[in-house]
Amino acid sequence: MSEPLGVAVLGVGHMGADHLRRLGETVGGARVVAVADPDTARAEGAVAGRERVTVHSDALAALDAPGVDAVLVASPEAAHEEALLAACARGLPVLCEKPLTPDSAAALRVVEAEARLGRRLIQVGFMRRFDAEYAALKTLLDSGDLGRPLLLHCVHRNVSSPPHFTSSMLISSSVSHEIDAARWLLGQEITSVTVVRPTPSAHAPAGLLDPQLVLFETAGGAVVDVEVFVNCGFGYEVRCEAVCERGSARIGDAHGMVVHAAGGTREDVARDYVVRFADAYDREVRAWVAAAREGRAVGPSAWDGYAAAAVAEAGVVSLRDGGRVTVDLAGRPALYGGGGGA
Amino acid sequence: MSEPLGVAVLGVGHMGADHLRRLGETVGGARVVAVADPDTARAEGAVAGRERVTVHSDALAALDAPGVDAVLVASPEAAHEEALLAACARGLPVLCEKPLTPDSAAALRVVEAEARLGRRLIQVGFMRRFDAEYAALKTLLDSGDLGRPLLLHCVHRNVSSPPHFTSSMLISSSVSHEIDAARWLLGQEITSVTVVRPTPSAHAPAGLLDPQLVLFETAGGAVVDVEVFVNCGFGYEVRCEAVCERGSARIGDAHGMVVHAAGGTREDVARDYVVRFADAYDREVRAWVAAAREGRAVGPSAWDGYAAAAVAEAGVVSLRDGGRVTVDLAGRPALYGGGGGA
Amino acid sequence: MSEPLGVAVLGVGHMGADHLRRLGETVGGARVVAVADPDTARAEGAVAGRERVTVHSDALAALDAPGVDAVLVASPEAAHEEALLAACARGLPVLCEKPLTPDSAAALRVVEAEARLGRRLIQVGFMRRFDAEYAALKTLLDSGDLGRPLLLHCVHRNVSSPPHFTSSMLISSSVSHEIDAARWLLGQEITSVTVVRPTPSAHAPAGLLDPQLVLFETAGGAVVDVEVFVNCGFGYEVRCEAVCERGSARIGDAHGMVVHAAGGTREDVARDYVVRFADAYDREVRAWVAAAREGRAVGPSAWDGYAAAAVAEAGVVSLRDGGRVTVDLAGRPALYGGGGGA
Amino acid sequence: MSEPLGVAVLGVGHMGADHLRRLGETVGGARVVAVADPDTARAEGAVAGRERVTVHSDALAALDAPGVDAVLVASPEAAHEEALLAACARGLPVLCEKPLTPDSAAALRVVEAEARLGRRLIQVGFMRRFDAEYAALKTLLDSGDLGRPLLLHCVHRNVSSPPHFTSSMLISSSVSHEIDAARWLLGQEITSVTVVRPTPSAHAPAGLLDPQLVLFETAGGAVVDVEVFVNCGFGYEVRCEAVCERGSARIGDAHGMVVHAAGGTREDVARDYVVRFADAYDREVRAWVAAAREGRAVGPSAWDGYAAAAVAEAGVVSLRDGGRVTVDLAGRPALYGGGGGA
């Protein structure tokens, strides 16, 4: 296809608006042809100044708008399943913001629908796989130069949590990124989750169990620990160290300018994921556009979205009840490689 | 303008081809509508798969092709002056790869042409101004938090020099980036150049004076030292430390993944400027496209291109004759701010 | 006391010989006056060239040698209890290499003997408390600037394990340092231990469970994770990050020279604890000498030695049986502050 | 010699008092037996609590005190020449604080006296040669792994200058360390000095030319640049990067604890040389004591002290008159290796 990919964007909230900007500024080869949002005034505003874009209050209507070649789902998670199934029914490639669906049961229905179709259409928005540092780590691990990975040490910190953030969401929303990253980096499914709860920070909202220490064991015998701390107060930090048989590799300490001034040496820390993963989002969408134009699918699959949901659910049980909780995954369809790897 | 900017690309060599890719993949809001290269077969190949692009052997013909709103000059430097004057004559915004022209006399003619026109059309491709680290340093210096800049320490290293690279080109080609960066960061013109020549590295080609230590003094009394070493053998490194009255700030030590393995801790160093400044090129072209669509000009001006050429010429004299060589700039037209700042 | 402290050194194996060298070279204010080792030829060799040192095959005889003001215990751990009780009976200050005793029951007997005496004579050789980085971390935590500590992330890696090292010794020998460091940094007793076992590294000796991930929970609700990996192959690394309510602080990434050469940037990693903690040992012994000359005791106490043994024993149970194992400490005598802090 | 080295300490000002403390606490194998200071009350106070130390108002009387085996000269520089010549006359090993003498003419007289004696007795207190990072850099350069050194980039910053510090002292006092370090690291004499003067910092005392950029050229064709900035305001920083044919190596960026808190990542910078070079001073004095006990001399020689003075004097001329000033050294006596290396 030499013409730009015609994209329908569902949802023009924070992530949707950001993707709209991206499709105009930093991603070539695509053109937004339709947007949908129940708040059509917001949708109109979001595409002001763009030509030949239709605006819809209904997501399915947007899918059927003229010129739509592919769908970017950035609507609230409750609306994902319907949109994903509709895209599958129409054979449209989809980039779906995480989480794939609100729970693993819904995710499994999406997986089954795509599996019946017999070809991948869905890419889930775990953008870290497109981050340069994560990609370098993946390449290094896959090279085998450091031997087999034994442990992953992960840190996931936010300055502060948004309103209404719950203790479970530290796992289902925040740690879901580490779940996908660990499965991808190790190429293994996660088989158990244990959540350990320190006395919460006095700076966390009352009642929020923050921070938490989350442990995963994997099918291949690796162990992953994740510090999740969503009210750390000082910056957005995502780190991952892979400890292998012959060395370790760490990402997330990257920096730019170093200032020497009163108080010592200092380096800035990103304030949020929009800054830290700006390039990853750009590359994610570019990879999706390029693949969609060629009729391929890349990146995290619907299965990855399902597995992340299932692991997170086990984590929420461990958080509530304590102890080690086993993850029981459905059988993996052949479309996603079958067998036991991630 | 809501339609994409129609761009004519002059020259499809290394940089031209890279910009063509960029205009398709990582920069939105523009469309290549014409290309010119004496080697039309190469030009045809460079735009294979793109629709509605005209191919020309003659640069001026490309400027006159239908749909051309702006010009990206990536032809050999000997061809720049004619292309720039033609673009000015047509009122077309231009992004011109560095150097603006092969010498300062030609650059001054371009400056005078643009000055007569009374508005800026030309952006020179000193991409470092668009690098995130350089931008952070500029912002910090302009904030005044660290006080007045007193010294800049710069390092510019390449793995190896291309064939036919001469001792003068260490200054006119490599150090020209530091000339522009120093003028921009300090907001001052360079008033003298002194080149000091260590015994050359045994790994440099015979006869090449590599490395060199280049000193600048500025109108405001700052001093800049630049190590240029184009056969350092191990990586592409560009560093700059600004030493101010209340602190210093350093860029160019950024890193990503840290590997601990036999031999200690290690971090990768970029191999070349294409990797190191990939983002800077993207941002440079995006800024140019956005400005051109709004009828503005941003970034390094023709005057900056002229000043860089004049300083480099003084450096080449110092390299040849030794000692401190004064830079004599023409009067700066009001279009570029007049007066003495950079 | 203005005369040097007369020291009897028990045991002239690896650590004993190193302390002998230290007392001659890098620690002032003390003089070795007696040494004891069953291998008296080795003992003679160890003090060759020193004047006025008596050599003994029997430890107790050395304690009674003329001029002995204090005792440095570096004999095999099985001999510690007798030496410690004898020193207490004689009122001699002791610096005892870790572990205090082979098990917590013996350690408790030593604690009780010292408690009956009513004053501290014993300093246990947890040298990390005297390391500049650990000391800086302790000072920062105690300052309260970062708020309450919530989590500690620790890493303890050795190039390779010595012969006859067992899976339990990863905890009782290696992690014992982290046990003491965590209790000291947090000022809290450890209340439970959980050991998680990844599939061992193929580079570990057959049967050795290496690496392990060890979790502690403390009386104050903090959580500590420790990676212990004694066949990591590439270096000796000891890291500790304290995550607090308003920031985190990390030690163990210190470096010296940075080399840029083929393959990127590299920094050396220490090969063993002798290098990494050379200064800590010097400061430990200096602090002991200074305190002994003034009739005081400083540093880790017999109680600390007992607590470390008790926590390690719980860890060994968790390693064997899996799951979370509670630590039951005896009541803390008033001599050691009583109550619940560490 | 198995008995401690009997040391006479001349001068109990800042450095003398620090060395006295060192000889009691951190350096074994020596005993202070005599001190001299015109202010005998200060001298009495400095050795309070030490036994068998004689106190003198006259330096030469201290040299002749009973039990004196060696001399540590920490008196004002005007008194050095007499003390050094007297020590030579008595065959006593000397550790002399820098500078060797107030000027190169006096230094040459000391060199000649020692040369006539035919054996080295004098070690000059350029302590950086004993710093672990400098030693690592020297070892690396001497290994040849990185090829021949081409350039050294040096930075020497102090928080603020002491009262009465003059523009010349930036060279003769501060940069003298870089002069010795460069000669030692490169193994070459310095043949010319060029001082470049930026507009001084507004935070420097009125009239003080601070910072300065000092260039050296060496007999082997290497080039050295030194930023000296004694009112940088924020910390004591000493850095040195050696740029070689196959790589570069940098020291002085070492750090300990890394704190992540509001404002980003920060690392402490030492406040002064006492902190930064504490270990170097310890090792310097230990090396001197060990050598003196064996009748050897190590470390920087009287020739090194002379050469540093001569280079500094050329630098002061360049500071005053501008331009490149040649260094003319006397012929090097065979005692110091003769020929042209450093």
Side-chain angles (χ1 to χ4, degrees), chain D residues 11-51:
Chain D
V12 296
H14 180 66
M15 284 307 301
D18 201 40
H19 282 309
L20 274 176
R21 177 194 58 71
R22 195 165 278 121
L23 288 166
E25 272 178 29
T26 64
V27 174
R31 201 171 74 77
V32 177
V33 297
V35 295
D37 201 286
D39 181 344
T40 50
R42 183 167 76 160
E44 293 281 359
V47 295
R50 291 180 193 244
E51 300 195 340

Side-chain angles (χ1 to χ4, degrees), chain D residues 176-195:
Chain D
S176 68
H177 285 289
E178 273 74 22
I179 294 172
D180 184 65
R183 293 177 62 255
W184 175 63
L185 290 171
L186 298 171
Q188 297 172 27
E189 293 294 358
I190 292 169
T191 52
S192 78
V193 190
T194 308
V195 180

Side-chain angles (χ1 to χ4, degrees), chain B residues 158-192:
Chain B
N158 296 77
V159 175
S160 60
S161 54
H164 313 304
F165 211 74
T166 65
S167 297
S168 294
M169 289 171 74
L170 270 79
I171 297 170
S172 60
S173 177
S174 301
V175 175
S176 68
H177 284 289
E178 273 75 23
I179 294 171
D180 184 66
R183 292 178 62 255
W184 174 63
L185 290 170
L186 298 171
Q188 298 172 25
E189 293 294 359
I190 292 168
T191 53
S192 79

Side-chain angles (χ1 to χ4, degrees), chain C residues 5 7-8 10 63 69-74 80 82-97 100 110 114 117 120-125 284 288-289 292 296-298 300-302:
Chain C
L5 185 77
V7 177
L10 310 186
L63 298 199
D69 301 313
V71 188
L72 199 162
V73 178
H80 286 195
E82 185 188 33
L84 291 162
L85 296 176
C88 283
R90 286 160 178 78
L92 294 172
V94 187
L95 174 58
C96 181
E97 268 307 309
L100 185 64
V110 172
E114 192 185 46
L117 202 65
R120 277 194 57 193
L121 287 172
I122 298 169
Q123 175 180 341
V124 185
E284 173 194 66
W288 176 66
V289 167
R296 296 177 296 110
V298 295
S301 70

Side-chain angles (χ1 to χ4, degrees), chain C residues 7-25:
Chain C
V7 177
V9 175
L10 310 186
V12 296
H14 181 67
M15 285 305 304
D18 201 40
H19 283 309
L20 274 175
R21 177 193 58 72
R22 194 165 279 121
L23 289 166
E25 274 178 27

Side-chain angles (χ1 to χ4, degrees), chain D residues 241-252:
Chain D
E241 178 176 19
V243 183
C244 305
E245 293 175 312
R246 284 192 294 275
S248 77
R250 190 173 70 205
I251 59 173

